[in-house]
Amino acid sequence: MNNTGLVLEGGGLRGVYTSGVLDYFLTQNLEFNYTIGVSAGAIYSASYASRQKERNLEIELKYLDDERYMGLKYLIKTGNYINLDFAYRKMTYEYFPFDFETFKNNNREFKVGAFNCLTGETEFFSKKDYKNTEDLLQALIATGSLPFLSKERLLNNKIYLDGGIAAPIPLEESIKDGNDKHVIILTQEKEYKKLAMRPQSLIKTYYRKYPKVAKALIERHEVYNNLLKKINELEKSGKVFVIRPTENLEVGRLERDLSKIEALYHLGISDAKNIYNNLLQWLEK
């Protein structure tokens, strides 16, 4: 599908909704030539790009409540709430091996955004940057490094945090790359509005070494809500096709309730199935 971007929001474990939508796309052999995501949107869509249906769900259901996955002890010991060795490395290489060969050989762009802590800009890694599985894994760890819950990631001599900090829905990059149509998968229901992060003084103190991180976090709700407004306008004009949860299942960013995770995944499949014919008609216009 030329000149159509698949644009994916983050949202931590709410990204399992996106995984459900993408797994339904795989059952229908629907693939896009361009995918761009930040944070969980990038992490969960990697398995879509490698055509590993249900890989994300299997990982969550089998290991999410494993004490090795994440917890305060890891935050205290390593500075990362999520145990990177277990949740990323062992999943990628041992427990549910990532099919990098399929990913590499599909000739489709796969962009991952991460926030540069020094410049205050969101930078994007593209397919040419992933020479092997490790290159991709490092980009995914960088984009998924949640503020306050993760150490900053050093990659290519640059310091990064969560890609969703300043580009929570990376639509602008997709437009800049020449796509004139965009399929956007959101992880919040239609009525959602992001609230300001408080208190600002604590944010500035915590990130005093990286004032542009603090600034971006303080302005994040405005950026996000303005993006939603723009997306709603584009949706009305038919320039974007938006898929979002039709129910509010109240799944947290670091959710540990497996029944909620599974329900959100199946909501993604159900929503994708219900809009699929409309999506095909829109793509064919």
Side-chain angles (χ1 to χ4, degrees):
M1 237 158 294
N2 295 325
N3 300 320
T4 300
L6 179 62
V7 180
L8 308 171
E9 179 183 12
L13 284 160
R14 290 194 302 272
V16 76
Y17 174 82
T18 300
S19 184
V21 174
L22 296 180
D23 278 353
Y24 183 78
F25 286 176
L26 284 177
T27 66
Q28 303 301 312
N29 295 313
L30 176 63
E31 298 183 58
F32 294 80
N33 285 332
Y34 179 103
T35 298
I36 185 168
V38 293
S39 198
I43 294 166
Y44 281 96
S45 62
S47 295
Y48 170 70
S50 65
R51 301 192 185 105
Q52 290 176 275
K53 184 174 176 285
E54 297 184 352
R55 177 176 180 265
N56 295 320
L57 180 66
E58 290 176 8
I59 288 173
E60 304 301 7
L61 293 185
K62 187 168 184 178
Y63 291 108
L64 184 60
D65 60 356
D66 191 307
E67 64 176 12
R68 294 172 293 175
Y69 199 104
M70 60 182 172
L72 284 175
K73 63 181 179 181
Y74 299 111
L75 182 62
I76 294 169
K77 184 177 180 180
T78 69
N80 296 299
Y81 186 83
I82 295 174
N83 180 0
L84 300 182
D85 181 63
F86 183 78
Y88 283 93
R89 196 163 299 284
K90 288 191 180 297
M91 296 304 161
T92 299
Y93 291 108
E94 297 180 32
Y95 300 152
F96 288 89
F98 181 73
D99 186 351
F100 186 78
E101 288 304 308
T102 296
F103 171 86
K104 180 180 67 175
N105 294 327
N106 66 21
N107 295 318
R108 293 178 171 88
E109 181 60 283
F110 185 86
K111 299 193 79 170
V112 175
F115 183 83
N116 187 314
C117 297
L118 296 180
T119 67
E121 300 293 327
T122 305
E123 298 178 0
F124 290 87
F125 303 94
S126 62
K127 199 78 173 280
K128 63 180 174 54
D129 297 311
Y130 319 131
K131 303 297 188 298
N132 49 47
T133 303
E134 188 64 22
D135 289 341
L136 175 61
L137 182 61
Q138 290 300 324
L140 295 177
I141 292 174
T143 194
S145 295
L146 298 172
F148 304 107
L149 296 175
S150 306
K151 289 176 64 176
E152 299 80 25
R153 298 294 301 176
L154 183 63
L155 188 57
N156 299 329
N157 295 315
K158 297 180 181 180
I159 303 170
Y160 295 104
L161 273 174
D162 191 320
I165 291 176
I169 308 164
L171 174 62
E172 293 299 330
E173 185 72 9
S174 181
I175 294 172
K176 190 171 77 173
D177 284 340
N179 294 309
D180 50 30
K181 298 175 73 174
H182 313 272
V183 176
I184 304 173
I185 303 179
L186 303 178
T187 54
Q188 298 282 10
E189 70 281 2
K190 191 173 181 62
E191 295 74 23
Y192 178 78
K193 293 291 183 292
K194 187 175 286 294
L195 301 177
M197 190 177 288
R198 308 281 186 192
Q200 292 186 9
S201 58
L202 178 61
I203 298 170
K204 291 177 180 178
T205 299
Y206 191 89
Y207 283 111
R208 58 188 175 275
K209 286 178 58 178
Y210 304 109
K212 292 191 176 179
V213 173
K215 183 177 184 294
L217 288 173
I218 290 169
E219 296 174 351
R220 190 178 185 184
H221 67 292
E222 295 178 355
V223 171
Y224 184 87
N225 293 334
N226 286 335
L227 263 172
L228 285 184
K229 183 178 179 181
K230 178 176 182 176
I231 288 169
N232 288 337
E233 292 170 354
L234 291 172
E235 185 179 23
K236 290 176 184 176
S237 66
K239 294 181 180 179
V240 303
F241 191 98
V242 182
I243 304 170
R244 52 167 68 86
T246 54
E247 299 177 37
N248 180 11
L249 298 183
E250 298 183 353
V251 173
R253 187 178 294 272
L254 296 172
E255 186 63 61
R256 301 299 289 268
D257 187 329
L258 296 183
S259 64
K260 287 186 176 183
I261 293 294
E262 191 166 15
L264 186 58
Y265 171 83
H266 286 293
L267 178 64
I269 290 178
S270 175
D271 286 351
K273 184 177 182 179
N274 289 336
I275 57 84
Y276 190 70
N277 287 335
N278 290 337
L279 173 60
L280 290 184
Q281 291 174 13
W282 181 85
L283 290 170
E284 290 170 359
K285 285 182 181 178

